[in-house]
């Protein structure tokens, strides 16, 4: 399929076939795509948890308003943000640039100093909101990759982040959960797979100037 056909094929899967497991090759594609997602300043204030432990998925279902996609999916992806995007985090990022591109310090220093100053003066809530927006970018990217790779997925905000953080010990990792994406293969009897897409016409959503 071409990309438009793939996007028509994609839908928010309501029922997964719990007997079908994604091959590791597919997971590798998704994790690489996650890592290649564009983020503000290139800072990547995100981490992705890839959960394939069925008992853990079942436990998390009760903190996802009972949505069975969490337990029945082949894998559960949890998008997390870094709790501390501070001076040390930013300096490590620029050290990595220097190492990767062999960029001189004098070239990097003005932008590095600007970011350090900017983030040091931002309220914690503002940084958290900024990082969360990057998680949405990553999920959007993965939804497109899933469509191209014929991987079914269901983007979810309907879960209790505090409970996920607790069950997954995210505080110890310096992370907070913000989005969830069950992935796998649709069940043959998921009636939603045959529903026609409901979208506004292009004339209502596209403005060409």
């Amino acid at each position: 399929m071409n990309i438009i056909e793939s996007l028509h094929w994609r839908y928010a899967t309501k029922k997964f076939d719990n007997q079908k497991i994604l091959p590791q090759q597919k997971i590798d594609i998704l994790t690489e795509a996650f890592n290649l997602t564009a983020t503000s300043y290139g800072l990547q204030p995100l981490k992705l948890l890839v959960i394939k432990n069925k008992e853990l998925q079942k436990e998390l279902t009760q903190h996802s308003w009972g949505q069975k996609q969490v337990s029945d999916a082949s894998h559960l992806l949890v998008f997390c943000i870094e709790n501390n995007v501070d001076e040390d985090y930013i300096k490590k990022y620029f050290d990595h640039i220097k190492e990767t591109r062999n960029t001189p310090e004098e070239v990097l220093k003005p932008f590095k100093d600007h970011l350090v100053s900017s983030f040091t003066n931002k309220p914690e809530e503002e940084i958290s909101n900024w990082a969360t927006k990057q998680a949405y970018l990553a999920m959007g990217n993965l939804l497109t990759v899933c469509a191209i790779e014929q991987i079914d997925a269901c983007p979810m905000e309907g879960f209790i982040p505090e409970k996920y953080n607790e069950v997954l010990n995210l505080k110890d990792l310096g992370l907070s959960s913000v989005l969830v994406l069950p992935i796998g293969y649709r069940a043959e009897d998921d009636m939603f797979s045959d529903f026609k897409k409901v979208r506004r016409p292009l004339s209502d959503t596209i403005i060409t100037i």
Side-chain angles (χ1 to χ4, degrees), residues 57-88:
Q57 287 177 233
K58 287 179 183 178
E59 183 179 356
L60 290 171
T61 301
Q62 64 183 315
H63 305 307
S64 310
W65 308 112
Q67 296 177 90
K68 295 286 287 180
Q69 296 99 312
V70 171
S71 58
D72 289 347
S74 168
H75 293 67
L76 179 66
L77 306 183
V78 182
F79 294 73
C80 302
I81 60 171
E82 298 275 1
N83 291 335
N84 296 301
V85 182
D86 53 15
E87 181 175 353
D88 183 57

Side-chain angles (χ1 to χ4, degrees), residues 6 10 16 45 61-62 70 90 97 100 103 110 115 118 120 132 149 179 208:
S6 295
R10 186 210 73 78
F16 285 94
T61 301
Q62 64 183 315
V70 171
I90 293 169
I97 294 177
T100 303
T103 308
L115 287 186
S118 176
T120 298
T132 299
E149 292 294 324
L179 292 168
T208 303

Side-chain angles (χ1 to χ4, degrees), residues 1 9 11 25 29 34 49-50 88 155-156 165 186 207:
M1 292 191 288
W9 172 87
Y11 75 110
Q25 179 190 16
I29 290 171
F34 171 83
L49 269 65
V50 181
D88 183 57
M156 290 172 53
N165 296 346
R186 65 189 68 177
I207 300 173

Side-chain angles (χ1 to χ4, degrees), residues 31-49:
T31 54
E32 185 73 11
F34 171 83
N35 203 46
L36 289 170
T37 296
T39 59
S40 178
Y41 307 117
L43 284 173
Q44 293 184 276
L46 310 171
K47 286 191 178 176
L48 183 69
L49 269 65

Side-chain angles (χ1 to χ4, degrees), residues 143-188:
L143 286 173
T144 300
V145 175
C146 281
I148 293 168
E149 292 294 324
Q150 301 284 280
I151 299 169
D152 287 300
C154 183
M156 290 172 53
E157 293 178 305
F159 71 105
I160 305 171
E162 295 80 9
K163 291 295 185 180
Y164 267 62
N165 296 346
E166 181 182 331
V167 171
L168 299 171
N169 298 313
L170 295 184
K171 184 177 180 181
D172 293 343
L173 299 174
L175 302 172
S176 296
S177 58
V178 292
L179 292 168
V180 172
L181 185 66
I183 57 174
Y185 296 106
R186 65 189 68 177
E188 290 185 6

